[in-house]
Amino acid sequence: MVHRVAVLDDDLCHSDKCGLECIRDCPVNINGEDCIHLGEEKLAVISETLCIGCGICVKVCPFDAITILNLGEELTKDKVHQYGINSFRLYRLPTPRRGQVVGLVGRNGVGKSTALQILSGQLIPNLGDYEHEPSWDKFLDYLSGRELKEHFKRVSTGEVRVSLKPQAVYKLPEIWRKDVRSLLEKVDETGESKKVIAELGLTEALPKNVPDLSGGELQRVAVAVAALKNADIYLFDEPSSFNDVYQRMAVSRLIREIAAKGKFVVLVEHDITFLDYASDYVQIIYGEPGAYGVVSSLYPSRTGINSLLEGMLPQENIRFRDRAVTFQAPTAVESQQSTEVVASYTDIKKTYPGFSLDANGGELTRGIVLGIIGANALGKTTFLRILAGEEKPDSGSVNVGAKIAYKPQYLRSDFPGTVQEFFTEKVGKGYDDPNLQASLAAPLRMEKLLARNVSELSGGELQKVAIVATFAQEADIYALDEPSAFVDVEDRFVIAKAIGRLVKAVGKSAMVIDHDIQLLDLVSDRMLVFTGRPGKVGSATAPLGKEDGMNIFLKEVGLTYRRDINSGRPRVNKPDGKLDREQKEKGQYYYVTRGVPREAAEE
Ligand code: ADP
Ligand code: ADP
Ligand code: MG
């Protein structure tokens, strides 16, 4: 038996602009029954009981607004919440553990924030009955005999205090109109504000008003506010956006300290290095973005993340991706490298009031991906803009004969029109290139976005449109500034793979700035490391071999890496653990040899 799910994307359904094809062509409707009709709000309403799953409405809808899926019957009893008719539904829930950090990972739109809202008590789950007011009593009945019952019993009576760091930090300046110092003093219930301010590197931000903070500062202030609350359960929804690697590590140390006090902690995160480092357990939410999400069982973080890469959940015997992501195969095999220099530059100097950048000269050869890493505000963007010809150096020169396609860090969403119109205007026929379609546009599901207005896209959607538009350009060098920002894990892998197919395999080159170490490790052949004092002085090394570059960078951050014996993926060693100390002594921060049979001993 299957369980039918029909989902309508309200933003895409425009019954005033179509010929009501779904209603006209539905074979059940033709047979005289009422499977699809136009509802009061002029949106299609689909009956999941009458639907036979033929998929005709999905095909004939000119706006791609309908999704029909068949799920296993066993899920029906696990439906926790459904927002409304033909809308998103969540199956099962995360299971927080006392004294542990539970990491939650999955695609955008599979219900991570919904799950956190339920855990926090902000949203009373309706068990799929969206026609009646939900109540805690009904939900508690449903939970009888389950691990989570105690938690929700105390949530429903207000005995549990919950602290939530929301995903949308950009909304916070509207609520917090004061300076950081008085904000943190006011919210502090733990008496630890001094310590937290120091740990999160917020000292210089204290006198600033919240609306004037940089993205990374705002994110860390939001983390501090959540951490300073005296709660029983702490929920952190994507705390790494805008933060650099040092700041991500500081945030994860703080999160671990909270759990060590015997609290419940749940962390939603797309950066798997950080997720791995911060979590004891991992739960994967799989499903169809916008349609449904299922929370997996609890896995120890190492095996959970390996399962995520594998695309397969052993305990539930579910494959949620058709192929594994691998770190084993050296990407250089398929690349068309040559010694031909496509760009070169002498030593470069650039100063702004209060900031100066010094970059050592270097060159980029054909078929090479240069990964660029370093803390925030050290001049990475400035360097890339100089190479792309968007900014002039004060001294030194750049020799780029090749054409560069450039994706800036900060994206503009003020294009007056749809995504389709954006592509037509910016890249013409480039968007239709079969290679681009197969490697990038199709896996990123661009067709779902084409009819949407650029101004209404989410951060992740806008990022993906910008990346596709960059690769749709005819160029020799692709320069990408922070392509992973707001993008989920699955799509980060799609982008990493596409860099292989659209750049290396066709003899082009790329430069990629990012803070996701795993992503950089996956795509880079060579590396450029930025060091210095953020916002004051930055210096860049010449392009280095990947091992040297990673070694210098990790030494700066004070982290050592090993390779996972099963997946080959790099993992952060436990700080001050045996491996960490040994590798630091030898100066081997970045472990290149795979299959070190020490992994087990480290756990
Ligand atoms: P994630 O955090 O994994 O990105 P969310 O929990 O934010 O996912 O959203 C899951 C789905 O539920 C999305 O398709 C979203 O549009 C939908 N959704 C979220 N909140 C509501 C709501 N209040 N009413 C209707 N749909 C919603
Ligand atoms: P990163 O990309 O490493 O975060 P950026 O290159 O964006 O660093 O910025 C480095 C420093 O230069 C920052 O302190 C920033 O405020 C300053 N800066 C960048 N662009 C300008 C500009 N056009 N005018 C003045 N200052 C700038
Ligand atoms: Mg930058």
Side-chain angles (χ1 to χ4, degrees):
M1 268 297 280
V2 292
H3 157 52
R4 197 103 53 217
V5 169
V7 179
L8 184 79
D9 189 325
D10 294 3
D11 296 336
L12 294 181
C13 178
H14 297 292
S15 60
D16 52 335
K17 293 190 201 151
C18 73
L20 303 181
E21 288 85 348
C22 57
I23 295 171
R24 189 190 68 199
D25 294 350
C26 169
V28 182
N29 276 14
I30 292 171
N31 241 333
E33 284 184 282
D34 187 20
C35 181
I36 311 186
H37 67 270
L38 206 58
E40 283 166 19
E41 285 160 32
K42 300 264 177 261
L43 296 170
V45 177
I46 307 163
S47 159
E48 290 176 1
T49 38
L50 294 175
C51 174
I52 54 170
C54 67
I56 289 175
C57 56
V58 177
K59 286 204 198 77
V60 296
C61 172
F63 303 115
D64 255 324
I66 303 173
T67 307
I68 306 278
L69 296 157
N70 298 318
L71 302 187
E73 183 69 24
E74 74 285 356
L75 281 179
T76 21
K77 66 174 181 356
D78 291 336
K79 194 195 278 180
V80 167
H81 190 72
Q82 179 168 347
Y83 281 111
I85 189 165
N86 299 142
S87 70
F88 177 83
R89 51 211 87 184
L90 178 70
Y91 299 88
R92 302 182 186 146
L93 280 171
T95 37
R97 290 269 167 111
R98 181 179 297 283
Q100 313 274 355
V101 179
V102 173
L104 208 54
V105 62
R107 305 201 69 154
N108 290 327
V110 289
K112 298 181 297 298
S113 298
T114 301
L116 291 195
Q117 277 176 4
I118 294 174
L119 286 177
S120 74
Q122 282 175 13
L123 177 68
I124 305 177
N126 60 18
L127 300 169
D129 177 7
Y130 45 82
E131 284 172 341
H132 300 97
E133 274 294 302
S135 80
W136 283 119
D137 286 344
K138 270 191 236 165
F139 185 60
L140 290 172
D141 273 350
Y142 161 81
L143 286 177
S144 70
R146 300 187 201 212
E147 196 182 338
L148 280 169
K149 181 154 183 187
E150 264 318 295
H151 170 75
F152 282 107
K153 217 165 153 182
R154 295 173 59 223
V155 168
S156 68
T157 55
E159 281 169 73
V160 171
R161 289 204 73 209
V162 182
S163 179
L164 169 68
K165 199 296 286 173
Q167 175 180 8
V169 287
Y170 53 85
K171 290 187 185 156
L172 298 176
E174 290 164 26
I175 319 169
W176 298 336
R177 303 193 142 274
K178 49 171 75 86
D179 63 281
V180 176
R181 188 190 307 274
S182 34
L183 172 72
L184 294 183
E185 272 168 15
K186 181 167 161 264
V187 299
D188 185 12
E189 298 171 351
T190 59
E192 294 192 340
S193 63
K194 276 215 173 72
K195 179 167 159 280
V196 168
I197 287 163
E199 279 185 340
L200 295 178
L202 284 172
T203 310
E204 285 186 32
L206 289 177
K208 293 195 203 173
N209 282 320
V210 175
D212 299 332
L213 298 175
S214 72
E217 287 171 333
L218 181 62
Q219 182 69 261
R220 281 171 286 128
V221 167
V223 168
V225 168
L228 290 172
K229 207 166 153 183
N230 193 2
D232 306 289
I233 176 163
Y234 293 79
L235 310 169
F236 292 93
D237 201 345
E238 297 190 26
S240 75
S241 313
F242 303 114
N243 280 334
D244 65 31
V245 176
Y246 300 84
Q247 296 158 346
R248 288 177 197 201
M249 288 304 155
V251 169
S252 52
R253 277 192 291 267
L254 180 70
I255 288 176
R256 292 212 56 81
E257 283 169 22
I258 293 173
K261 289 184 201 154
K263 309 287 187 176
F264 293 83
V265 182
V266 180
L267 164 69
V268 170
E269 187 47 56
H270 294 306
D271 178 336
I272 55 179
T273 307
F274 176 23
L275 180 74
D276 189 14
Y277 183 76
S279 316
D280 299 291
Y281 293 94
V282 162
Q283 286 179 283
I284 294 166
I285 306 198
Y286 61 95
E288 181 64 29
Y292 79 102
V294 185
V295 184
S296 81
S297 46
L298 205 62
Y299 292 89
S301 65
R302 169 172 173 258
T303 39
I305 291 170
N306 284 354
S307 296
L308 177 73
L309 301 175
E310 196 63 37
M312 165 95 196
L313 295 168
Q315 275 178 45
E316 30 271 274
N317 195 19
I318 295 262
R319 180 163 274 294
F320 58 88
R321 194 189 319 106
D322 58 5
R323 62 174 83 83
V325 180
T326 166
F327 290 86
Q328 316 267 8
T331 35
V333 174
E334 60 192 53
S335 84
Q336 302 284 318
Q337 293 184 0
S338 79
T339 51
E340 183 195 339
V341 174
V342 288
S344 66
Y345 52 95
T346 62
D347 289 358
I348 285 174
K349 262 193 206 308
K350 174 81 194 172
T351 49
Y352 291 121
F355 177 80
S356 70
L357 166 70
D358 263 291
N360 286 333
E363 59 184 35
L364 184 66
T365 51
R366 188 170 287 283
I368 287 291
V369 175
L370 180 65
I372 302 175
I373 198 160
N376 277 336
L378 289 178
K380 300 182 299 299
T381 295
T382 302
F383 174 80
L384 207 60
R385 294 184 67 224
I386 290 172
L387 283 197
E390 301 243 328
E391 182 69 272
K392 295 246 163 309
D394 296 342
S395 72
S397 63
V398 169
N399 184 359
V400 185
K403 184 171 179 308
I404 298 189
Y406 171 59
K407 186 205 79 71
Q409 174 176 9
Y410 297 105
L411 303 172
R412 302 177 61 126
S413 60
D414 55 0
F415 180 82
T418 63
V419 172
Q420 177 87 65
E421 286 158 359
F422 176 78
F423 285 137
T424 307
E425 189 177 316
K426 300 289 174 197
V427 292
K429 293 230 174 307
Y431 177 70
D432 300 322
D433 175 69
N435 209 0
L436 179 82
Q437 283 296 321
S439 323
L440 198 61
L444 292 182
R445 304 181 188 214
M446 274 301 119
E447 82 284 4
K448 282 265 178 204
L449 299 182
L450 292 176
R452 302 261 304 273
N453 287 322
V454 171
S455 60
E456 289 162 11
L457 298 177
S458 72
E461 290 166 342
L462 187 64
Q463 183 71 270
K464 290 188 270 183
V465 167
I467 292 171
V468 170
T470 306
F471 282 111
Q473 294 169 42
E474 196 51 58
D476 308 282
I477 302 173
Y478 294 90
L480 307 173
D481 198 343
E482 298 197 23
S484 79
F486 312 115
V487 168
D488 66 35
V489 177
E490 297 285 320
D491 288 336
R492 288 180 193 201
F493 288 133
V494 168
I495 293 161
K497 237 181 139 159
I499 291 175
R501 293 219 220 138
L502 298 172
V503 175
K504 296 196 207 187
V506 291
K508 309 221 164 162
S509 314
M511 294 183 281
V512 183
I513 298 179
D514 214 277
H515 296 302
D516 183 330
I517 310 184
Q518 206 102 43
L519 176 81
L520 275 189
D521 187 63
L522 200 54
V523 301
S524 307
D525 301 296
R526 298 178 69 73
M527 295 206 67
L528 215 130
V529 184
F530 277 71
T531 51
R533 282 187 292 135
K536 305 214 163 52
V537 270
S539 54
T541 63
L544 306 165
K546 180 157 95 178
E547 296 161 35
D548 287 342
M550 276 289 189
N551 218 33
I552 292 176
F553 175 68
L554 292 173
K555 193 167 183 175
E556 279 275 322
V557 198
L559 291 177
T560 58
Y561 258 49
R562 68 185 179 287
R563 292 231 177 227
D564 182 81
I565 34 169
N566 296 108
S567 65
R569 73 184 162 93
R571 298 192 72 202
V572 175
N573 288 323
K574 204 189 296 162
D576 221 26
K578 184 161 173 283
L579 268 186
D580 186 57
R581 276 180 283 122
E582 276 177 19
Q583 284 183 224
K584 278 179 179 162
E585 250 163 50
K586 290 188 203 143
Q588 275 179 341
Y589 286 74
Y590 178 72
Y591 225 105
V592 279
T593 358
R594 260 187 301 105
V596 190
R598 285 253 190 69
E599 175 86 24
E602 178 77 6
E603 293 299 307

